[in-house]
Amino acid sequence: MIEGVNLIKFPKQTKYSSSRRLREMVLVLRKHNVLTSDMTPEKLRLILEDLGPTFVKLGQILSLKPEFLPADYAIELTKLQTQAKPLDFSIIKDCLEKEYNKKIEDVFLDIDDHALGSASIAQVHKATLKTGEKIVIKVQRPGIYEVMAKDIVLLKRAVSILQVFKTSSSILDFNAILDEMWNITKQEMDFMMEAEHIDEFKRLNSEDIFVDCPTVKHELTTARVLVMEYIDGHRIDEISKLKAQGYNVEELGIHLGKNYVKQIIEDGYFHADPHPGNIWIKNGKIIWLDLGMMGRLSSKERDALKKAVYALVQHDTYEMKNSILTLGTVQGKLNHIQLYEDIDNLMNRYSNANFQTLKLSELAHDIITVARRHKLSINPGLSMFARGVVTIESVLKICCPNVNFIDIFASYMRADFKRNFSWKEEFTKFKRDSYLMLQKSMHIPEQLSDILKMTMSGQTKVNLDLTGSEEPLRRLDKMINKLIIGIICSALLLGSSIICTTNMTPQIMEIPILGVLGYLVAVFLSIRLMINIFKEK
């Protein structure tokens, strides 16, 4: 942090002006010598952390957009830290009493004044209910909504003034990124919504005896205060402590991998940030924490993802192309031939791949890269999936290196295929498709007859799209523009010469001013034309 500038903690009653915030931003940029030194992934991450919670959240969102940032920047931004200096307990106490409209002693038996954790948006304290039950209280930092809202306004103004991203060839609209970030942040700042996430996650994983999450105390939860049961276990990366208590860490890793695959493939509702701090072990169960940001995949996207994996293993380029088109949304004109070639190159890189050697995170990144190249916008759920898989693979590598996530994924995929495959259903589908094909084929003679009649009457129109013709047409357009400028220059020189032989007024040094102006314009256009020609060479 910059000396004398507090970017995280804000006084309760102080109006936080845009001009003051702008000065803080300038100080941060000056501290990191933005104008005098090169930008690196690590430097960008440090700048965002110093700029405060809004920019940390922006970096987290951008890390989910590998179609916008280079891979090394996106990976570095996944390391963004949200820890902040803890607020004084008197501020937390004041917040709680305002939320409950009563003295804190009337609600809780006691509260630990030392924070269990302090992030940019909220702070967590351990407490005890009147019943003696241990709980944790997550309290939103006062004024954080106002500060982040002002940051969003400043960023949007900067984008509209500079017009940097509006003239970019990138398919990504930075204003849309700001809107997405603000929507996600507002959801994270609404603890009632996080409570709903926890309830949904608990319901979807209720049958898994190895997985759980904290229970929400709804009667004490508000939009700014979240009360949950206290988890007194150990983080999954505290290997020595887990082994000392008799846990088989490899077994825990297998259960973790199976559950995460189930979240993705079966539920389509998964933890978007599965780092070790959010995965705890208590009473033999894996406890998922911090469910503020959850990823979602529709059934269509899950099917496309499974088909993409099968297509890769079977080297089916056509099926992979269909999967990528399903996972992305076409923005503008699509070159199908070039897309097919790029996918075929992708398939060749994985020519020796099988379920045992395939890295799902690399596959997801390569698919997103191909989609980016062809201006296919990617659903945020798929970006969260790619990030989540990278994170969970790294967690398993640290905690139990003998457990291979892709092996677990492959086993689940095989089981899913067997579970959903039915010869009876496949035969029924074959009969239905055959009937539809036969029905459509009966209309072919009629359609051909209509085409011939329209052709003979001059009503037929043919839309011809020559793939690869864009560049020659663009060059031809440039040549015509140069020819037109040359003709205009010649006309100006000829016209100016004729005018200069007359006595037309007004004059300068006995030369008609219109003639002089014509010469100047002709010279200017000629110079511009020559510069453009030399640039192209």
Side-chain angles (χ1 to χ4, degrees):
M1 287 299 174
I2 300 173
E3 186 178 352
V5 179
N6 191 340
L7 300 180
I8 297 298
K9 180 178 175 180
F10 303 102
K12 295 181 291 180
Q13 305 297 331
T14 301
K15 184 174 179 60
Y16 197 72
S17 67
S18 297
S19 58
R20 176 187 164 192
R21 181 60 177 147
L22 191 59
R23 284 196 299 271
E24 291 178 357
M25 293 179 184
V26 172
L27 287 172
V28 170
L29 298 177
R30 189 178 298 169
K31 170 192 173 185
H32 290 277
N33 300 318
V34 172
L35 298 177
T36 58
S37 60
D38 295 334
M39 181 63 69
T40 64
E42 184 180 7
K43 184 177 179 180
L44 177 60
R45 174 177 61 81
L46 294 174
I47 290 172
L48 293 177
E49 287 179 354
D50 277 356
L51 284 172
T54 308
F55 293 85
V56 168
K57 185 60 61 181
L58 177 61
Q60 291 174 339
I61 297 298
L62 290 177
S63 73
L64 300 175
K65 301 283 182 182
E67 71 272 22
F68 176 62
L69 284 176
D72 53 344
Y73 281 83
I75 292 171
E76 183 65 28
L77 291 186
T78 62
K79 303 175 185 176
L80 279 167
Q81 300 296 313
T82 57
Q83 286 82 6
K85 182 180 177 181
L87 292 173
D88 189 88
F89 182 70
S90 61
I91 299 176
I92 297 296
K93 181 180 177 181
D94 186 52
C95 292
L96 290 171
E97 290 181 346
K98 283 183 178 178
E99 281 296 306
Y100 294 132
N101 198 25
K102 59 177 68 175
K103 291 291 183 180
I104 197 170
E105 295 82 6
D106 297 334
V107 184
F108 305 104
L109 185 64
D110 62 66
I111 298 181
D112 190 348
D113 56 359
H114 294 288
L116 282 177
S118 183
S120 55
I121 292 178
Q123 189 161 305
V124 178
H125 287 262
K126 183 180 176 182
T128 308
L129 294 177
K130 295 286 187 180
T131 59
E133 182 180 358
K134 300 293 182 182
I135 55 154
V136 292
I137 309 170
K138 186 176 180 181
V139 184
Q140 189 176 122
R141 286 175 172 263
I144 191 67
Y145 187 97
E146 180 188 6
V147 174
M148 296 186 78
K150 287 187 182 296
D151 283 351
I152 295 293
V153 171
L154 288 172
L155 284 169
K156 286 208 166 191
R157 284 177 183 169
V159 172
S160 62
I161 292 171
L162 297 176
Q163 297 289 315
V164 172
F165 294 92
K166 288 185 179 180
T167 58
S168 172
S169 60
S170 172
I171 63 171
L172 192 68
D173 181 0
F174 196 71
N175 275 304
I177 287 293
L178 291 175
D179 291 336
E180 179 184 342
M181 183 200 80
W182 186 230
N183 288 331
I184 290 175
T185 303
K186 285 191 293 185
Q187 291 178 21
E188 289 191 11
M189 287 192 286
D190 184 356
F191 292 164
M192 296 294 288
M193 186 169 290
E194 183 173 347
E196 292 176 5
H197 287 194
I198 295 171
D199 290 341
E200 184 174 359
F201 185 88
K202 185 178 280 289
R203 177 179 59 80
L204 290 171
N205 292 277
S206 58
E207 296 182 3
D208 193 331
I209 61 173
F210 299 106
V211 175
D212 203 354
C213 65
T215 302
V216 177
K217 305 297 178 183
H218 289 280
E219 66 278 8
L220 295 173
T221 295
T222 70
R224 296 182 181 86
V225 177
L226 178 62
V227 181
M228 302 172 289
E229 70 170 303
Y230 173 67
I231 304 299
D232 58 352
H234 298 289
R235 287 168 45 130
I236 195 165
D237 59 346
E238 295 179 333
I239 310 298
S240 57
K241 292 181 180 179
L242 291 174
K243 287 183 176 180
Q245 291 192 352
Y247 285 108
N248 185 326
V249 179
E250 190 167 313
E251 227 174 75
L252 290 173
I254 293 172
H255 292 316
L256 174 64
K258 285 182 177 179
N259 179 251
Y260 201 70
V261 173
K262 182 249 183 190
Q263 291 179 36
I264 295 168
I265 299 299
E266 191 173 326
D267 302 336
Y269 184 73
F270 57 93
H271 200 297
D273 192 18
H275 64 77
N278 288 335
I279 307 170
W280 284 58
I281 308 299
K282 178 184 179 182
N283 298 332
K285 286 189 174 185
I286 297 167
I287 311 295
W288 289 90
L289 304 179
D290 193 6
L291 285 84
M293 185 188 293
M294 301 293 292
R296 288 189 183 273
L297 290 172
S298 66
S299 57
K300 183 179 179 182
E301 290 167 337
R302 280 176 276 156
D303 288 340
L305 194 60
K306 288 189 285 186
K307 287 178 181 178
V309 175
Y310 281 124
L312 189 69
V313 175
Q314 297 169 4
H315 207 80
D316 188 340
T317 305
Y318 181 77
E319 188 61 44
M320 177 65 83
K321 177 174 179 274
N322 288 338
S323 299
I324 291 177
L325 289 175
T326 302
L327 292 168
T329 303
V330 179
Q331 304 286 331
K333 193 174 182 180
L334 185 65
N335 187 331
H336 287 272
I337 295 177
Q338 187 60 50
L339 175 60
Y340 193 91
E341 290 178 359
D342 287 345
I343 293 173
D344 196 47
N345 291 333
L346 184 149
M347 305 290 275
N348 288 332
R349 288 201 300 272
Y350 292 91
S351 58
N352 297 322
N354 53 51
F355 275 134
Q356 281 67 42
T357 60
L358 179 65
K359 286 191 175 181
L360 199 60
S361 55
E362 290 183 5
L363 172 61
H365 181 268
D366 287 342
I367 288 176
I368 292 173
T369 301
V370 171
R372 173 192 178 187
R373 189 177 301 132
H374 291 272
K375 299 186 178 180
L376 295 168
S377 62
I378 297 297
N379 184 322
L382 185 64
S383 299
M384 286 184 174
F385 158 77
R387 179 189 179 187
V389 169
V390 170
T391 308
I392 205 73
E393 283 182 341
S394 64
V395 170
L396 291 175
K397 188 175 181 180
I398 294 170
C399 302
C400 35
N402 294 327
V403 176
N404 190 337
F405 180 73
I406 194 59
D407 285 342
I408 298 171
F409 188 86
S411 299
Y412 197 96
M413 291 274 284
R414 283 192 290 265
D416 181 73
F417 178 78
K418 291 178 182 178
R419 184 168 54 251
N420 295 321
F421 183 82
S422 168
W423 282 109
K424 185 177 180 180
E425 290 181 6
E426 289 296 316
F427 185 65
T428 303
K429 183 181 176 183
F430 173 75
K431 290 192 296 182
R432 182 173 62 251
D433 292 344
S434 299
Y435 172 74
L436 290 173
M437 184 175 65
L438 179 63
Q439 191 179 43
K440 290 179 179 179
S441 64
M442 293 174 66
H443 294 289
I444 291 177
E446 181 183 351
Q447 292 169 350
L448 286 173
S449 176
D450 290 340
I451 291 172
L452 288 172
K453 288 178 183 178
M454 292 173 67
T455 303
M456 293 176 68
S457 62
Q459 298 177 12
T460 305
K461 291 184 179 180
V462 178
N463 293 324
L464 186 62
D465 185 8
L466 297 176
T467 302
S469 63
E470 294 86 356
E471 184 59 28
L473 289 174
R474 194 179 298 112
R475 293 176 63 184
L476 180 62
D477 187 53
K478 287 182 179 179
M479 290 172 61
I480 292 173
N481 288 338
K482 292 173 185 175
L483 180 62
I484 292 172
I485 292 174
I487 292 172
I488 292 173
C489 288
S490 301
L492 284 169
L493 289 170
L494 182 61
S496 299
S497 299
I498 293 172
I499 290 173
C500 287
T501 62
T502 67
N503 292 321
M504 183 181 293
T505 56
Q507 296 183 350
I508 180 172
M509 297 178 66
E510 299 182 355
I511 302 174
I513 290 178
L514 282 179
V516 175
L517 290 175
Y519 278 124
L520 292 175
V521 173
V523 170
F524 175 74
L525 290 176
S526 300
I527 292 173
R528 287 292 301 272
L529 182 60
M530 293 300 294
I531 290 173
N532 289 335
I533 292 172
F534 280 119
K535 279 185 178 179
E536 291 178 3
K537 289 182 178 180

